[in-house]
mmCIF file of all heavy atoms in Angstrom:
data_model
loop_
_atom_site.group_PDB
_atom_site.id
_atom_site.type_symbol
_atom_site.label_atom_id
_atom_site.label_comp_id
_atom_site.label_asym_id
_atom_site.label_seq_id
_atom_site.Cartn_x
_atom_site.Cartn_y
_atom_site.Cartn_z
ATOM 1 N N VAL A 82 -14.357 -35.420 38.191
ATOM 2 C CA VAL A 82 -13.483 -35.354 39.419
ATOM 3 C C VAL A 82 -14.475 -35.750 40.543
ATOM 4 O O VAL A 82 -15.663 -35.339 40.668
ATOM 5 C CB VAL A 82 -12.945 -33.967 39.680
ATOM 6 C CG1 VAL A 82 -13.931 -32.858 39.817
ATOM 7 C CG2 VAL A 82 -12.013 -33.945 40.860
ATOM 8 N N GLY A 83 -13.919 -36.459 41.480
ATOM 9 C CA GLY A 83 -14.650 -36.829 42.713
ATOM 10 C C GLY A 83 -13.602 -36.992 43.870
ATOM 11 O O GLY A 83 -12.474 -37.019 43.714
ATOM 12 N N ASP A 84 -14.249 -37.207 45.088
ATOM 13 C CA ASP A 84 -13.354 -37.329 46.281
ATOM 14 C C ASP A 84 -13.136 -38.894 46.458
ATOM 15 O O ASP A 84 -13.764 -39.442 47.271
ATOM 16 C CB ASP A 84 -14.077 -36.743 47.462
ATOM 17 C CG ASP A 84 -13.143 -36.655 48.710
ATOM 18 O OD1 ASP A 84 -11.935 -37.160 48.584
ATOM 19 O OD2 ASP A 84 -13.638 -36.255 49.782
ATOM 20 N N THR A 85 -12.210 -39.421 45.731
ATOM 21 C CA THR A 85 -11.855 -40.844 45.779
ATOM 22 C C THR A 85 -10.339 -40.903 46.009
ATOM 23 O O THR A 85 -9.574 -39.976 45.713
ATOM 24 C CB THR A 85 -12.230 -41.442 44.372
ATOM 25 O OG1 THR A 85 -11.573 -40.655 43.268
ATOM 26 C CG2 THR A 85 -13.719 -41.521 44.126
ATOM 27 N N PRO A 86 -9.906 -42.109 46.524
ATOM 28 C CA PRO A 86 -8.468 -42.342 46.824
ATOM 29 C C PRO A 86 -7.603 -42.269 45.539
ATOM 30 O O PRO A 86 -6.560 -41.649 45.558
ATOM 31 C CB PRO A 86 -8.383 -43.724 47.413
ATOM 32 C CG PRO A 86 -9.744 -43.986 47.865
ATOM 33 C CD PRO A 86 -10.692 -43.247 47.024
ATOM 34 N N GLN A 87 -8.090 -42.786 44.489
ATOM 35 C CA GLN A 87 -7.390 -42.724 43.224
ATOM 36 C C GLN A 87 -8.295 -41.852 42.170
ATOM 37 O O GLN A 87 -9.397 -41.548 42.554
ATOM 38 C CB GLN A 87 -7.305 -44.215 42.504
ATOM 39 C CG GLN A 87 -6.593 -45.112 43.483
ATOM 40 C CD GLN A 87 -5.105 -44.688 43.732
ATOM 41 O OE1 GLN A 87 -4.383 -44.184 42.865
ATOM 42 N NE2 GLN A 87 -4.610 -44.893 44.973
ATOM 43 N N PRO A 88 -7.768 -41.555 41.031
ATOM 44 C CA PRO A 88 -8.594 -40.777 40.207
ATOM 45 C C PRO A 88 -9.924 -41.558 39.905
ATOM 46 O O PRO A 88 -9.924 -42.737 39.687
ATOM 47 C CB PRO A 88 -7.765 -40.585 38.870
ATOM 48 C CG PRO A 88 -6.385 -40.642 39.321
ATOM 49 C CD PRO A 88 -6.509 -41.597 40.523
ATOM 50 N N ILE A 89 -11.052 -40.811 39.912
ATOM 51 C CA ILE A 89 -12.394 -41.472 39.731
ATOM 52 C C ILE A 89 -12.467 -42.019 38.257
ATOM 53 O O ILE A 89 -11.907 -41.340 37.357
ATOM 54 C CB ILE A 89 -13.440 -40.354 40.004
ATOM 55 C CG1 ILE A 89 -14.834 -41.050 40.150
ATOM 56 C CG2 ILE A 89 -13.455 -39.255 38.972
ATOM 57 C CD1 ILE A 89 -15.855 -40.145 40.744
ATOM 58 N N THR A 90 -13.226 -42.996 38.152
ATOM 59 C CA THR A 90 -13.538 -43.517 36.744
ATOM 60 C C THR A 90 -14.989 -43.510 36.485
ATOM 61 O O THR A 90 -15.809 -43.724 37.412
ATOM 62 C CB THR A 90 -12.960 -44.935 36.637
ATOM 63 O OG1 THR A 90 -13.640 -45.741 37.564
ATOM 64 C CG2 THR A 90 -11.528 -44.946 36.762
ATOM 65 N N PRO A 91 -15.306 -43.214 35.180
ATOM 66 C CA PRO A 91 -16.786 -43.254 34.868
ATOM 67 C C PRO A 91 -17.388 -44.594 35.103
ATOM 68 O O PRO A 91 -16.826 -45.707 34.819
ATOM 69 C CB PRO A 91 -16.821 -42.839 33.416
ATOM 70 C CG PRO A 91 -15.455 -42.176 33.178
ATOM 71 C CD PRO A 91 -14.491 -42.830 34.142
ATOM 72 N N CYS A 92 -18.699 -44.526 35.377
ATOM 73 C CA CYS A 92 -19.507 -45.903 35.485
ATOM 74 C C CYS A 92 -19.697 -46.454 34.124
ATOM 75 O O CYS A 92 -19.436 -45.795 33.033
ATOM 76 C CB CYS A 92 -20.826 -45.646 36.199
ATOM 77 S SG CYS A 92 -22.030 -44.816 35.160
ATOM 78 N N GLY A 93 -20.182 -47.676 34.068
ATOM 79 C CA GLY A 93 -20.377 -48.309 32.747
ATOM 80 C C GLY A 93 -21.406 -47.640 31.835
ATOM 81 O O GLY A 93 -21.253 -47.471 30.697
ATOM 82 N N VAL A 94 -22.515 -47.113 32.509
ATOM 83 C CA VAL A 94 -23.444 -46.438 31.727
ATOM 84 C C VAL A 94 -22.886 -45.179 31.128
ATOM 85 O O VAL A 94 -23.164 -44.897 29.876
ATOM 86 C CB VAL A 94 -24.722 -46.106 32.623
ATOM 87 C CG1 VAL A 94 -25.712 -45.205 31.894
ATOM 88 C CG2 VAL A 94 -25.381 -47.303 33.118
ATOM 89 N N CYS A 95 -22.121 -44.421 31.884
ATOM 90 C CA CYS A 95 -21.555 -43.245 31.296
ATOM 91 C C CYS A 95 -20.474 -43.616 30.123
ATOM 92 O O CYS A 95 -20.405 -42.865 29.174
ATOM 93 C CB CYS A 95 -20.840 -42.430 32.428
ATOM 94 S SG CYS A 95 -21.922 -41.603 33.511
ATOM 95 N N ARG A 96 -19.781 -44.623 30.384
ATOM 96 C CA ARG A 96 -18.892 -45.080 29.317
ATOM 97 C C ARG A 96 -19.645 -45.365 27.965
ATOM 98 O O ARG A 96 -19.277 -45.008 26.996
ATOM 99 C CB ARG A 96 -18.078 -46.290 29.760
ATOM 100 C CG ARG A 96 -17.160 -46.016 30.885
ATOM 101 C CD ARG A 96 -16.438 -47.304 31.460
ATOM 102 N NE ARG A 96 -15.760 -46.960 32.679
ATOM 103 C CZ ARG A 96 -14.621 -47.463 32.962
ATOM 104 N NH1 ARG A 96 -13.911 -48.241 32.106
ATOM 105 N NH2 ARG A 96 -14.032 -47.131 34.065
ATOM 106 N N GLN A 97 -20.803 -46.011 28.087
ATOM 107 C CA GLN A 97 -21.561 -46.344 26.909
ATOM 108 C C GLN A 97 -22.143 -45.029 26.299
ATOM 109 O O GLN A 97 -22.058 -44.925 25.042
ATOM 110 C CB GLN A 97 -22.716 -47.193 27.257
ATOM 111 C CG GLN A 97 -23.617 -47.585 26.063
ATOM 112 C CD GLN A 97 -22.868 -48.283 24.903
ATOM 113 O OE1 GLN A 97 -22.065 -49.220 25.211
ATOM 114 N NE2 GLN A 97 -23.109 -47.828 23.675
ATOM 115 N N VAL A 98 -22.484 -44.056 27.087
ATOM 116 C CA VAL A 98 -23.048 -42.877 26.521
ATOM 117 C C VAL A 98 -21.839 -42.025 25.906
ATOM 118 O O VAL A 98 -22.030 -41.488 24.754
ATOM 119 C CB VAL A 98 -23.748 -42.006 27.620
ATOM 120 C CG1 VAL A 98 -23.979 -40.569 27.125
ATOM 121 C CG2 VAL A 98 -24.999 -42.658 28.048
ATOM 122 N N MET A 99 -20.711 -42.122 26.484
ATOM 123 C CA MET A 99 -19.517 -41.378 25.792
ATOM 124 C C MET A 99 -19.176 -42.072 24.527
ATOM 125 O O MET A 99 -18.947 -41.414 23.588
ATOM 126 C CB MET A 99 -18.369 -41.444 26.786
ATOM 127 C CG MET A 99 -18.325 -40.507 27.892
ATOM 128 S SD MET A 99 -16.768 -40.471 28.833
ATOM 129 C CE MET A 99 -17.289 -41.539 30.087
ATOM 130 N N ALA A 100 -19.312 -43.455 24.451
ATOM 131 C CA ALA A 100 -18.978 -44.167 23.181
ATOM 132 C C ALA A 100 -20.012 -43.788 22.126
ATOM 133 O O ALA A 100 -19.625 -43.732 20.939
ATOM 134 C CB ALA A 100 -19.109 -45.675 23.447
ATOM 135 N N GLU A 101 -21.219 -43.408 22.575
ATOM 136 C CA GLU A 101 -22.236 -43.023 21.556
ATOM 137 C C GLU A 101 -22.075 -41.551 21.083
ATOM 138 O O GLU A 101 -22.255 -41.321 19.912
ATOM 139 C CB GLU A 101 -23.689 -43.171 22.187
ATOM 140 C CG GLU A 101 -24.785 -42.729 21.353
ATOM 141 C CD GLU A 101 -25.243 -43.812 20.375
ATOM 142 O OE1 GLU A 101 -25.077 -44.992 20.607
ATOM 143 O OE2 GLU A 101 -26.095 -43.369 19.536
ATOM 144 N N LEU A 102 -21.693 -40.709 21.996
ATOM 145 C CA LEU A 102 -21.699 -39.194 21.635
ATOM 146 C C LEU A 102 -20.258 -38.617 21.488
ATOM 147 O O LEU A 102 -20.235 -37.440 20.862
ATOM 148 C CB LEU A 102 -22.337 -38.501 22.775
ATOM 149 C CG LEU A 102 -23.845 -38.831 23.187
ATOM 150 C CD1 LEU A 102 -24.342 -38.018 24.322
ATOM 151 C CD2 LEU A 102 -24.691 -38.650 21.912
ATOM 152 N N CYS A 103 -19.311 -39.286 21.798
ATOM 153 C CA CYS A 103 -17.910 -38.645 21.656
ATOM 154 C C CYS A 103 -17.019 -39.466 20.739
ATOM 155 O O CYS A 103 -17.212 -40.683 20.418
ATOM 156 C CB CYS A 103 -17.271 -38.755 23.075
ATOM 157 S SG CYS A 103 -18.214 -37.942 24.394
ATOM 158 N N PRO A 104 -16.068 -38.744 20.209
ATOM 159 C CA PRO A 104 -15.031 -39.416 19.268
ATOM 160 C C PRO A 104 -14.347 -40.540 20.080
ATOM 161 O O PRO A 104 -13.982 -40.310 21.305
ATOM 162 C CB PRO A 104 -14.085 -38.367 18.863
ATOM 163 C CG PRO A 104 -14.843 -37.040 19.087
ATOM 164 C CD PRO A 104 -15.789 -37.347 20.249
ATOM 165 N N PRO A 105 -14.015 -41.629 19.458
ATOM 166 C CA PRO A 105 -13.447 -42.750 20.217
ATOM 167 C C PRO A 105 -12.013 -42.422 20.780
ATOM 168 O O PRO A 105 -11.560 -42.978 21.782
ATOM 169 C CB PRO A 105 -13.283 -43.886 19.173
ATOM 170 C CG PRO A 105 -13.669 -43.322 17.874
ATOM 171 C CD PRO A 105 -14.378 -42.055 18.119
#
Side-chain angles (χ1 to χ4, degrees):
V82 64
D84 189 1
T85 50
Q87 303 297 322
I89 194 169
T90 59
C92 75
V94 174
C95 288
R96 291 174 192 221
Q97 179 60 45
V98 171
M99 284 187 263
E101 177 84 16
L102 299 177
C103 303

